[in-house]
Amino acid sequence: MSVGAVPKTIEWIGGLEGHVVMIDQTRLPSELVMLECRDVQTMWHAIRQLSVRGAPAIGIAAAMGAVLGVRDCGGLDRDGFLKKLEEVCEYLASSRPTAVNLRWALDRLRRRASVYTSPRDSRVPRLTPGHDPTEIKQALFEEAKRIRDEDEAMCRAIGRFGEPLIRPGSGVLTHCNAGGLATACWGTALAPLYAAHGLGRSFHVFAGETRPLLQGSRLTAWELQQAGIGVTLLCDSMVGSLMKSGRVDLVITGADRIAANGDTANKIGTYAIAVLAKAHGIPFYIAAPSSTFDLATPDGSRIPIEERDPDEIRRGFGPLTAPPDVKCYCPAFDVTPAKLIRGIITERGIIQPVTKSRIASILREWPILPRNRAAKLKSCTPSLGE
Amino acid sequence: MSVGAVPKTIEWIGGLEGHVVMIDQTRLPSELVMLECRDVQTMWHAIRQLSVRGAPAIGIAAAMGAVLGVRDCGGLDRDGFLKKLEEVCEYLASSRPTAVNLRWALDRLRRRASVYTSPRDSRVPRLTPGHDPTEIKQALFEEAKRIRDEDEAMCRAIGRFGEPLIRPGSGVLTHCNAGGLATACWGTALAPLYAAHGLGRSFHVFAGETRPLLQGSRLTAWELQQAGIGVTLLCDSMVGSLMKSGRVDLVITGADRIAANGDTANKIGTYAIAVLAKAHGIPFYIAAPSSTFDLATPDGSRIPIEERDPDEIRRGFGPLTAPPDVKCYCPAFDVTPAKLIRGIITERGIIQPVTKSRIASILREWPILPRNRAAKLKSCTPSLGE
């Protein structure tokens, strides 16, 4: 986020000798506490204990953490430095072993460093094994900031393309947190809202609490409120009643993976909201970067759905609220079929209608996305998600 | 409930000198603790602190509590006894001032007592003001037990009529707790399940947790598990995904009020489930006693919907899980239109299709329900609900 006086989710303060400041999301929504990371150990714990969460934000944190980990290792030559970088990356990767975006960011730093050992670009100097690594250090620092800046640019582009959908006085429903707290800036689903708000447009947001982990109440309601955007919180069971009351004009949610035909996996509950939107004639949009498309997956039936720990239901937030041994159905995601999705707002434009041929032709046509690269991108840049 | 070794929700042990035993529902689902009430004060606290809840069960508790309150007042003559009864009823009514069923049960006891002061039936002796009130005391005791027995008969009748809908091997979804814990016996929505289980039929129940107050996880999952019926708990947001997976063959929920055209108010979330059931071709049934029909209300748009305390969402599990001052949308009920309801299972049969004319003609035709009495009944015997 970066609307008004709201602090940014994560940012680097100063030059290479500076430090990282992030919102400690474990303290939300009770209080806004900023966490300073001046060494890689503090960053490891911040990622581990979910002070920073959301795939893009974790990737940024990991990249910045790696810079913190190698910048103070004076006296090392090129190879000693590269060995140290490898150790730091392995260490950071262990903070959340299943976070794909974390590994993607660290791999990007590794590749950046490797450029100096075997440069393909004549402008990059080749550093011999015994060379001083200061130049690599600086390059890694720039790369970490670039990862953050690219994420911010993506969020702002989604915001710009999606913003015209937010009509003055309208009610917009969202689910989970695909917002600024998960990214460098505006998020994906919330980006059009921040963009419209920035243009002075007046509208109201309804945030579903998003059981079991309550990202809607803990995070989305908080960040919208901080930004001065009117928000009303509701339980997931109240969405049908709210739509029937006529107060919802538009639904926008994020996405975890979008199949080649447009079927979209997102936080559990999204599918039901899409069905309800259809029944009430309310347009339902997905907002996600183009890297979320997985063209190697033909349709939603091929997307594996993770089952979560039953205690996320039985012990919601501490006390036991169900028989301790009762069986639970607890999928992390569900799949919304393309036919229920009016459009997909990406950083390159809105894909509408959502059909296999339209997705394929548009992903091919966009000049800055090389042919056939979307599927490959997927493997290294997954989108938002806990 | 009264399946297998599961204790009854509330019952009177012994004769007039006996006592009341109930399941202390404040201790569920962590532990099964029985609460004994031997005086009216204990009963007042039991009702007040929600050890007993659900409109029918509260009515039974109030009637039994009134008997506890007057049975030990030796030495009073007829008028002294009636004055004492009035005091006891006023006292019990103050335990939950808005519980309509509580007042209905107490009024029924008052009317029963008044029979002895001005009998219309020649078989009832007229007691003069100075007369010994022992006979009235016994009559009140019988009346309290009758209120309980009638409720049990209603539950069992709904169970008998609804049981054929539960096909072997099927999956049945329910919402909230319209079960044995809210009544003398099997409840309404759960009655067909208990009946089918009693016949040895095998099936599986899915219980939505029912935010904000979690009656589904705290109560429904518990009582079905106690009865040996297979049950899986899920968050309300997971219903769509579950239906899409093909595991739900039937939905049955209770009702708080049914308008003349069949539009039905029930716990928030019911409407969304009905829409989802329709979208997946799954039959959706309501189970409720005929007293739930409010023929004076033409359709659902006329049913007022209570808004609950926002902290039920913001502090649902105890700790704060949302910004403390965030606006909330928190209706207690929603209205499911008749066109989404396949049938209404009552203690007198299944009303199907659910249309105004069908409801009117069937409520007229049933011989034991006098013409035009349904609407009047409504005012004194509301159905299940928190």
mmCIF file of all heavy atoms in Angstrom, chain A residues 96 98 213 256-257 265-268 303-309 312 329-335 385-386, chain B residues 238 241:
data_model
loop_
_atom_site.group_PDB
_atom_site.id
_atom_site.type_symbol
_atom_site.label_atom_id
_atom_site.label_comp_id
_atom_site.label_asym_id
_atom_site.label_seq_id
_atom_site.Cartn_x
_atom_site.Cartn_y
_atom_site.Cartn_z
ATOM 1 N N ARG A 96 10.381 -20.623 4.821
ATOM 2 C CA ARG A 96 9.063 -21.168 4.434
ATOM 3 C C ARG A 96 9.294 -22.078 3.237
ATOM 4 O O ARG A 96 9.198 -21.632 2.078
ATOM 5 C CB ARG A 96 8.064 -20.050 4.097
ATOM 6 C CG ARG A 96 7.517 -19.378 5.349
ATOM 7 C CD ARG A 96 6.334 -18.483 5.046
ATOM 8 N NE ARG A 96 5.127 -19.224 4.712
ATOM 9 C CZ ARG A 96 3.973 -18.648 4.371
ATOM 10 N NH1 ARG A 96 3.874 -17.347 4.338
ATOM 11 N NH2 ARG A 96 2.915 -19.377 4.083
ATOM 12 N N THR A 98 7.763 -24.164 1.460
ATOM 13 C CA THR A 98 6.853 -24.379 0.331
ATOM 14 C C THR A 98 6.515 -23.084 -0.422
ATOM 15 O O THR A 98 5.730 -23.112 -1.362
ATOM 16 C CB THR A 98 5.530 -25.025 0.800
ATOM 17 O OG1 THR A 98 4.932 -24.147 1.760
ATOM 18 C CG2 THR A 98 5.774 -26.382 1.433
ATOM 19 N N LEU A 213 -9.094 -18.704 7.761
ATOM 20 C CA LEU A 213 -7.994 -17.903 8.311
ATOM 21 C C LEU A 213 -8.288 -16.398 8.394
ATOM 22 O O LEU A 213 -7.449 -15.613 8.821
ATOM 23 C CB LEU A 213 -6.697 -18.173 7.538
ATOM 24 C CG LEU A 213 -6.167 -19.614 7.689
ATOM 25 C CD1 LEU A 213 -4.863 -19.796 6.933
ATOM 26 C CD2 LEU A 213 -5.976 -19.986 9.154
ATOM 27 N N ASP A 256 -5.096 -17.669 -7.637
ATOM 28 C CA ASP A 256 -3.853 -18.390 -7.346
ATOM 29 C C ASP A 256 -3.296 -19.064 -8.587
ATOM 30 O O ASP A 256 -2.095 -19.191 -8.752
ATOM 31 C CB ASP A 256 -4.090 -19.414 -6.240
ATOM 32 C CG ASP A 256 -4.137 -18.722 -4.897
ATOM 33 O OD1 ASP A 256 -5.221 -18.250 -4.525
ATOM 34 O OD2 ASP A 256 -3.078 -18.595 -4.257
ATOM 35 N N ARG A 257 -4.189 -19.522 -9.457
ATOM 36 C CA ARG A 257 -3.747 -20.112 -10.717
ATOM 37 C C ARG A 257 -4.902 -20.054 -11.709
ATOM 38 O O ARG A 257 -6.044 -20.304 -11.334
ATOM 39 C CB ARG A 257 -3.325 -21.581 -10.506
ATOM 40 C CG ARG A 257 -2.501 -22.098 -11.678
ATOM 41 C CD ARG A 257 -2.383 -23.597 -11.675
ATOM 42 N NE ARG A 257 -1.525 -24.096 -10.603
ATOM 43 C CZ ARG A 257 -0.943 -25.300 -10.653
ATOM 44 N NH1 ARG A 257 -1.096 -26.075 -11.706
ATOM 45 N NH2 ARG A 257 -0.220 -25.730 -9.648
ATOM 46 N N ALA A 265 -8.386 -20.941 -9.981
ATOM 47 C CA ALA A 265 -8.290 -21.378 -8.578
ATOM 48 C C ALA A 265 -8.013 -20.158 -7.721
ATOM 49 O O ALA A 265 -7.148 -19.351 -8.035
ATOM 50 C CB ALA A 265 -7.171 -22.394 -8.415
ATOM 51 N N ASN A 266 -8.773 -20.032 -6.658
ATOM 52 C CA ASN A 266 -8.535 -18.944 -5.701
ATOM 53 C C ASN A 266 -9.009 -19.418 -4.336
ATOM 54 O O ASN A 266 -9.524 -20.532 -4.183
ATOM 55 C CB ASN A 266 -9.276 -17.668 -6.142
ATOM 56 C CG ASN A 266 -8.876 -16.455 -5.316
ATOM 57 O OD1 ASN A 266 -7.695 -16.253 -5.048
ATOM 58 N ND2 ASN A 266 -9.843 -15.662 -4.883
ATOM 59 N N LYS A 267 -8.835 -18.590 -3.340
ATOM 60 C CA LYS A 267 -9.190 -18.920 -1.957
ATOM 61 C C LYS A 267 -10.570 -19.558 -1.860
ATOM 62 O O LYS A 267 -11.513 -19.144 -2.518
ATOM 63 C CB LYS A 267 -9.178 -17.626 -1.131
ATOM 64 C CG LYS A 267 -9.422 -17.808 0.350
ATOM 65 C CD LYS A 267 -8.320 -18.576 1.033
ATOM 66 C CE LYS A 267 -7.015 -17.896 0.880
ATOM 67 N NZ LYS A 267 -5.842 -18.710 1.185
ATOM 68 N N ILE A 268 -10.698 -20.569 -1.021
ATOM 69 C CA ILE A 268 -11.973 -21.256 -0.834
ATOM 70 C C ILE A 268 -13.085 -20.231 -0.553
ATOM 71 O O ILE A 268 -12.901 -19.313 0.248
ATOM 72 C CB ILE A 268 -11.873 -22.302 0.302
ATOM 73 C CG1 ILE A 268 -13.155 -23.109 0.410
ATOM 74 C CG2 ILE A 268 -11.508 -21.664 1.643
ATOM 75 C CD1 ILE A 268 -13.398 -24.054 -0.714
ATOM 76 N N ILE A 303 -6.366 -28.764 -11.692
ATOM 77 C CA ILE A 303 -5.664 -28.007 -10.648
ATOM 78 C C ILE A 303 -5.801 -28.744 -9.319
ATOM 79 O O ILE A 303 -6.917 -28.954 -8.841
ATOM 80 C CB ILE A 303 -6.234 -26.573 -10.519
ATOM 81 C CG1 ILE A 303 -6.094 -25.817 -11.850
ATOM 82 C CG2 ILE A 303 -5.527 -25.811 -9.388
ATOM 83 C CD1 ILE A 303 -6.677 -24.409 -11.843
ATOM 84 N N PRO A 304 -4.696 -29.172 -8.726
ATOM 85 C CA PRO A 304 -4.794 -29.885 -7.442
ATOM 86 C C PRO A 304 -5.196 -28.916 -6.335
ATOM 87 O O PRO A 304 -4.751 -27.767 -6.312
ATOM 88 C CB PRO A 304 -3.369 -30.405 -7.218
ATOM 89 C CG PRO A 304 -2.488 -29.499 -8.006
ATOM 90 C CD PRO A 304 -3.300 -28.960 -9.146
ATOM 91 N N ILE A 305 -6.074 -29.381 -5.443
ATOM 92 C CA ILE A 305 -6.551 -28.530 -4.346
ATOM 93 C C ILE A 305 -6.014 -29.079 -3.027
ATOM 94 O O ILE A 305 -6.323 -30.192 -2.629
ATOM 95 C CB ILE A 305 -8.097 -28.488 -4.305
ATOM 96 C CG1 ILE A 305 -8.667 -27.960 -5.637
ATOM 97 C CG2 ILE A 305 -8.572 -27.622 -3.134
ATOM 98 C CD1 ILE A 305 -8.306 -26.534 -5.971
ATOM 99 N N GLU A 306 -5.238 -28.258 -2.358
ATOM 100 C CA GLU A 306 -4.636 -28.619 -1.067
ATOM 101 C C GLU A 306 -5.707 -28.672 0.020
ATOM 102 O O GLU A 306 -6.578 -27.817 0.091
ATOM 103 C CB GLU A 306 -3.595 -27.527 -0.746
ATOM 104 C CG GLU A 306 -2.999 -27.545 0.640
ATOM 105 C CD GLU A 306 -2.340 -26.193 0.995
ATOM 106 O OE1 GLU A 306 -2.256 -25.305 0.113
ATOM 107 O OE2 GLU A 306 -1.937 -26.026 2.130
ATOM 108 N N GLU A 307 -5.640 -29.709 0.891
ATOM 109 C CA GLU A 307 -6.525 -29.758 2.067
ATOM 110 C C GLU A 307 -5.765 -29.222 3.270
ATOM 111 O O GLU A 307 -4.610 -29.578 3.498
ATOM 112 C CB GLU A 307 -6.974 -31.204 2.352
ATOM 113 C CG GLU A 307 -8.188 -31.661 1.578
ATOM 114 C CD GLU A 307 -9.533 -31.445 2.309
ATOM 115 O OE1 GLU A 307 -9.551 -31.346 3.531
ATOM 116 O OE2 GLU A 307 -10.561 -31.382 1.604
ATOM 117 N N ARG A 308 -6.383 -28.343 4.038
ATOM 118 C CA ARG A 308 -5.732 -27.720 5.174
ATOM 119 C C ARG A 308 -5.969 -28.519 6.458
ATOM 120 O O ARG A 308 -6.802 -29.412 6.512
ATOM 121 C CB ARG A 308 -6.269 -26.296 5.363
ATOM 122 C CG ARG A 308 -6.176 -25.422 4.134
ATOM 123 C CD ARG A 308 -4.824 -24.829 3.928
ATOM 124 N NE ARG A 308 -4.391 -24.104 5.112
ATOM 125 C CZ ARG A 308 -3.193 -23.547 5.246
ATOM 126 N NH1 ARG A 308 -2.320 -23.641 4.265
ATOM 127 N NH2 ARG A 308 -2.867 -22.904 6.340
ATOM 128 N N ASP A 309 -5.286 -28.138 7.503
ATOM 129 C CA ASP A 309 -5.423 -28.764 8.819
ATOM 130 C C ASP A 309 -6.840 -28.548 9.359
ATOM 131 O O ASP A 309 -7.302 -27.414 9.440
ATOM 132 C CB ASP A 309 -4.400 -28.093 9.752
ATOM 133 C CG ASP A 309 -4.409 -28.680 11.155
ATOM 134 O OD1 ASP A 309 -5.350 -29.412 11.495
ATOM 135 O OD2 ASP A 309 -3.463 -28.389 11.906
ATOM 136 N N GLU A 312 -7.940 -25.701 11.671
ATOM 137 C CA GLU A 312 -8.248 -24.331 11.231
ATOM 138 C C GLU A 312 -9.750 -24.079 11.336
ATOM 139 O O GLU A 312 -10.184 -22.942 11.508
ATOM 140 C CB GLU A 312 -7.766 -24.105 9.797
ATOM 141 C CG GLU A 312 -6.251 -24.048 9.701
ATOM 142 C CD GLU A 312 -5.752 -23.708 8.298
ATOM 143 O OE1 GLU A 312 -6.588 -23.464 7.397
ATOM 144 O OE2 GLU A 312 -4.529 -23.690 8.120
ATOM 145 N N TYR A 329 -14.042 -30.931 6.288
ATOM 146 C CA TYR A 329 -13.769 -30.711 4.868
ATOM 147 C C TYR A 329 -13.134 -29.334 4.816
ATOM 148 O O TYR A 329 -13.781 -28.346 5.142
ATOM 149 C CB TYR A 329 -15.092 -30.760 4.099
ATOM 150 C CG TYR A 329 -14.998 -30.380 2.633
ATOM 151 C CD1 TYR A 329 -14.379 -31.219 1.714
ATOM 152 C CD2 TYR A 329 -15.583 -29.201 2.171
ATOM 153 C CE1 TYR A 329 -14.320 -30.877 0.365
ATOM 154 C CE2 TYR A 329 -15.543 -28.862 0.822
ATOM 155 C CZ TYR A 329 -14.907 -29.702 -0.066
ATOM 156 O OH TYR A 329 -14.862 -29.364 -1.399
ATOM 157 N N CYS A 330 -11.852 -29.247 4.459
ATOM 158 C CA CYS A 330 -11.146 -27.977 4.579
ATOM 159 C C CYS A 330 -10.214 -27.707 3.393
ATOM 160 O O CYS A 330 -8.994 -27.616 3.554
ATOM 161 C CB CYS A 330 -10.370 -27.946 5.900
ATOM 162 S SG CYS A 330 -9.780 -26.288 6.317
ATOM 163 N N PRO A 331 -10.784 -27.568 2.195
ATOM 164 C CA PRO A 331 -9.928 -27.253 1.040
ATOM 165 C C PRO A 331 -9.427 -25.802 1.137
ATOM 166 O O PRO A 331 -10.150 -24.925 1.602
ATOM 167 C CB PRO A 331 -10.870 -27.422 -0.149
ATOM 168 C CG PRO A 331 -12.241 -27.200 0.402
ATOM 169 C CD PRO A 331 -12.205 -27.635 1.842
ATOM 170 N N ALA A 332 -8.186 -25.574 0.712
ATOM 171 C CA ALA A 332 -7.616 -24.224 0.765
ATOM 172 C C ALA A 332 -8.161 -23.349 -0.365
ATOM 173 O O ALA A 332 -8.283 -22.143 -0.219
ATOM 174 C CB ALA A 332 -6.097 -24.301 0.667
ATOM 175 N N PHE A 333 -8.470 -23.985 -1.488
ATOM 176 C CA PHE A 333 -8.893 -23.252 -2.681
ATOM 177 C C PHE A 333 -10.128 -23.908 -3.290
ATOM 178 O O PHE A 333 -10.495 -25.023 -2.938
ATOM 179 C CB PHE A 333 -7.774 -23.261 -3.733
ATOM 180 C CG PHE A 333 -6.455 -22.817 -3.198
ATOM 181 C CD1 PHE A 333 -5.449 -23.724 -2.913
ATOM 182 C CD2 PHE A 333 -6.214 -21.472 -2.959
ATOM 183 C CE1 PHE A 333 -4.228 -23.309 -2.392
ATOM 184 C CE2 PHE A 333 -5.002 -21.048 -2.446
ATOM 185 C CZ PHE A 333 -4.006 -21.966 -2.163
ATOM 186 N N ASP A 334 -10.771 -23.212 -4.192
ATOM 187 C CA ASP A 334 -11.756 -23.843 -5.060
ATOM 188 C C ASP A 334 -11.538 -23.295 -6.464
ATOM 189 O O ASP A 334 -10.736 -22.382 -6.661
ATOM 190 C CB ASP A 334 -13.192 -23.655 -4.559
ATOM 191 C CG ASP A 334 -13.602 -22.207 -4.377
ATOM 192 O OD1 ASP A 334 -13.049 -21.322 -5.066
ATOM 193 O OD2 ASP A 334 -14.488 -21.941 -3.564
ATOM 194 N N VAL A 335 -12.230 -23.893 -7.418
ATOM 195 C CA VAL A 335 -12.035 -23.500 -8.817
ATOM 196 C C VAL A 335 -13.328 -22.882 -9.352
ATOM 197 O O VAL A 335 -14.393 -23.491 -9.281
ATOM 198 C CB VAL A 335 -11.623 -24.705 -9.678
ATOM 199 C CG1 VAL A 335 -11.551 -24.308 -11.154
ATOM 200 C CG2 VAL A 335 -10.278 -25.253 -9.206
ATOM 201 N N GLY A 385 -1.333 -15.457 -2.414
ATOM 202 C CA GLY A 385 -1.840 -16.627 -1.707
ATOM 203 C C GLY A 385 -1.150 -16.733 -0.374
ATOM 204 O O GLY A 385 -0.070 -16.216 -0.202
ATOM 205 N N GLU A 386 -1.827 -17.384 0.564
ATOM 206 C CA GLU A 386 -1.208 -17.525 1.909
ATOM 207 C C GLU A 386 -0.146 -18.594 1.827
ATOM 208 O O GLU A 386 -0.327 -19.624 1.255
ATOM 209 C CB GLU A 386 -2.273 -17.952 2.929
ATOM 210 C CG GLU A 386 -3.256 -16.890 3.248
ATOM 211 C CD GLU A 386 -2.656 -15.574 3.615
ATOM 212 O OE1 GLU A 386 -2.218 -15.436 4.742
ATOM 213 O OE2 GLU A 386 -2.640 -14.671 2.766
ATOM 214 N N MET B 238 -17.297 -23.092 2.168
ATOM 215 C CA MET B 238 -16.898 -24.315 1.471
ATOM 216 C C MET B 238 -18.074 -25.075 0.867
ATOM 217 O O MET B 238 -17.898 -26.112 0.231
ATOM 218 C CB MET B 238 -16.132 -25.219 2.439
ATOM 219 C CG MET B 238 -14.836 -24.579 2.924
ATOM 220 S SD MET B 238 -14.137 -25.390 4.376
ATOM 221 C CE MET B 238 -12.745 -24.291 4.737
ATOM 222 N N SER B 241 -18.022 -25.440 -3.048
ATOM 223 C CA SER B 241 -17.011 -26.410 -3.453
ATOM 224 C C SER B 241 -17.466 -27.837 -3.150
ATOM 225 O O SER B 241 -17.299 -28.747 -3.967
ATOM 226 C CB SER B 241 -15.714 -26.081 -2.709
ATOM 227 O OG SER B 241 -14.793 -27.113 -2.807
#
